[in-house]
Amino acid sequence: MTKETWGRVKNELVGSVGQNNFKSWIEPLILDSLQDGVARFEVPTKFMRDWVSRNYSEIIRQHLAKAGAEVERVEFHVAGKQERSHQFKPAVEPKAPGNGDGSDLIVAPLDQRFTFDSFVVGKPNELAHAAARRVAEGGPVTFNPLFLYGGVGLGKTHLMHAIAHELRSRQPQLRVLYLSAEQFMYRFVQALRDKEIMGFKELFRSVDVLMVDDVQFIAGKDSTQEEFFHTFNALVDQNKQIVISADRAPGEIKGLEERIKSRMQCGLVVDLHPTDYELRLGILQQKADQYRGQYPDLRIAPGVLEFLAHRISTNVRVLEGALTRLFAFASLVGREISHELTQDCLADILRASDRKVTIEEIQRKVSEHYNIRLSDMIGPKRVRTIARPRQVAMYLAKTMTTRSLPDIGRRFGGRDHTTIMHGVRKVEELKSTDSQLADDLDLLRRLLEA
Ligand code: ADP
Ligand code: MG
């Protein structure tokens, strides 16, 4: 593998990551060495190192492998500090009029693949999708903020990028800013350090649409939260649209200030539910169609996609990864994607998603959630504040594991199976009328499945 090969691989990467991402993140990489299955690249900055290694190392590895380089790992290290940094200009928003230092505002690069067209809509995500569409129309602000939440890999980031793409093409004059909460903090801390806090404030207050991904990240980070709160209010006051995502509902984010929670709840809060079988199958079919374009000779045996939709859990990222590997492997060996090949190729993924939740895990998560001691969960106390969480745990143990009632009883301090049955029934009955309980169950289930 030579520098020329890297040159070719680079050209192919343009197609996979899109022109903008390529310019920002791939082009500045300098191939340093390729030895013992490790490809080492020089990057100009630490920030870029973190970003690229988190977001692009796998795709780079795949492309290198396709070009015949045996690469197991891709590493990035920051080049000698001095004049290198000028090579790297992060993606930049147009300057705010008259705003002198607006030019270095980092926006996270948008993934070209995350569009509304490529988003498969099903029952679990139809509300979130509809709300995102509405915001993307760019009409008068009707709900502010739009708060999207849901477990890992359910499409929050995809929807946010889709909104940004759509807005940028419909209304290119709008200043649309998308970034993760982590980047927000990073920029804030940097501004504090460089005594540029006024510039920071002006910048964030001058956007038309602000999208902050994974806002749970700033929980517990007090001064960042404070700044975020002011930014948020300033934009809402100007009637600018805000879109936020998090891995759970505003009220469930521990360490997030109350006033922020309640601000978040003022808009529209919608959740992405765990995928169901139909949605998973839809996503697999869409992906498989794309791959068929790429590998026209490959055939998939009937039933394979259905099998995967059944067997692989809710996280779409895992689902996509499985399919990618399957196609790569099948094209390498030049065979049809049969059931057998699927089992061989995905043994680890299939095993992992086979993972059963244990009663102990359920008890632990439920105690944490309700803030009670694990020993009380199993112990004899009958006060409501303990008995109810215990029943919730019983219910989850019954519905999420294959354990029998007597078996569950034994793990709840040797209780009788009729006690367990009573607890399960109680929760079943309550959850249709008590929406807080229903939300708790939803959240706990998600945490346990993650
Ligand atoms: P999150 O931000 O919620 O963790 P992402 O938006 O990063 O999840 O989605 C993970 C992966 O799954 C992405 O590649 C995304 O394109 C894909 N994905 C998730 N939901 C869908 C969907 N409904 N249709 C198509 N792709 C999806
Ligand atoms: Mg995300």
Side-chain angles (χ1 to χ4, degrees), residues 91-289:
V92 157
E93 278 290 278
K95 279 186 189 181
N99 184 348
D101 59 0
S103 59
D104 66 342
L105 176 59
I106 292 182
V107 294
L110 295 178
D111 192 313
Q112 298 304 121
R113 296 162 306 171
F114 292 177
T115 60
F116 281 118
D117 279 345
S118 65
F119 191 81
V120 180
V121 184
K123 261 236 150 354
N125 61 23
E126 63 181 340
L127 270 179
H129 172 259
R133 279 273 191 198
R134 169 62 71 81
V135 169
E137 283 166 11
V141 176
T142 45
F143 33 77
N144 217 2
L146 168 60
F147 190 100
L148 298 170
Y149 76 94
V152 181
L154 297 182
K156 301 181 293 294
T157 298
H158 189 135
L159 279 178
M160 291 177 101
H161 286 209
I163 294 173
H165 285 308
E166 187 81 10
L167 281 172
R168 281 180 180 181
S169 73
R170 281 178 185 235
Q171 304 192 46
Q173 81 287 1
L174 285 186
R175 299 195 77 211
V176 179
L177 182 66
Y178 165 86
L179 82 176
S180 66
E182 187 177 0
Q183 289 169 319
F184 180 86
M185 185 184 85
Y186 172 88
R187 298 296 299 170
F188 175 61
V189 170
Q190 198 174 46
L192 281 179
R193 194 189 57 211
D194 302 344
K195 306 201 169 44
E196 283 174 354
I197 206 69
M198 284 318 290
F200 176 91
K201 282 179 191 292
E202 272 171 34
L203 266 170
F204 276 88
R205 284 159 180 62
S206 69
V207 303
D208 297 303
V209 180
L210 175 66
M211 302 206 260
V212 182
D213 206 350
D214 289 319
V215 80
Q216 75 278 354
F217 182 84
I218 61 166
K221 311 207 164 68
D222 293 342
S223 43
T224 302
Q225 280 193 47
E226 173 88 24
E227 185 56 35
F228 178 73
F229 182 70
H230 294 311
T231 305
F232 187 98
N233 287 340
L235 289 173
V236 170
D237 285 348
Q238 295 175 61
N239 216 11
K240 307 292 191 188
Q241 180 72 54
I242 298 175
V243 185
I244 306 283
S245 86
D247 65 352
R248 59 196 73 188
E252 304 285 350
I253 305 177
K254 290 208 181 96
L256 195 65
E257 284 180 47
E258 283 309 320
R259 56 182 186 167
I260 298 188
K261 287 184 189 174
S262 64
R263 267 297 197 168
M264 298 289 168
Q265 279 153 346
C266 287
L268 180 66
V269 178
V270 275
D271 65 337
L272 289 131
H273 292 275
T275 59
D276 57 14
Y277 171 77
E278 282 93 7
L279 179 57
R280 286 197 291 275
L281 186 59
I283 291 170
L284 284 168
Q285 279 163 346
Q286 189 211 48
K287 294 272 155 200
D289 282 346

Side-chain angles (χ1 to χ4, degrees), residues 404-424:
S404 65
L405 290 173
D407 215 14
I408 297 173
R410 271 192 290 282
R411 283 152 204 270
F412 278 85
R415 285 177 160 79
D416 192 70
H417 76 275
T418 53
T419 310
I420 306 300
M421 185 141 73
H422 173 76
V424 173

Side-chain angles (χ1 to χ4, degrees), residues 64-87:
L64 286 171
K66 232 166 70 182
E70 278 177 64
V71 180
E72 272 158 31
R73 206 167 68 240
V74 184
E75 284 179 3
F76 304 92
H77 61 103
V78 182
K81 288 260 149 56
Q82 328 79 295
E83 352 89 61
R84 267 274 157 62
S85 52
H86 73 272
Q87 293 185 349

Side-chain angles (χ1 to χ4, degrees), residues 328-347:
F329 185 69
S331 76
L332 208 65
V333 296
R335 293 208 326 250
E336 180 197 53
I337 301 180
S338 62
H339 285 268
E340 239 181 314
L341 183 136
T342 305
Q343 294 275 5
D344 284 353
C345 177
L346 302 179

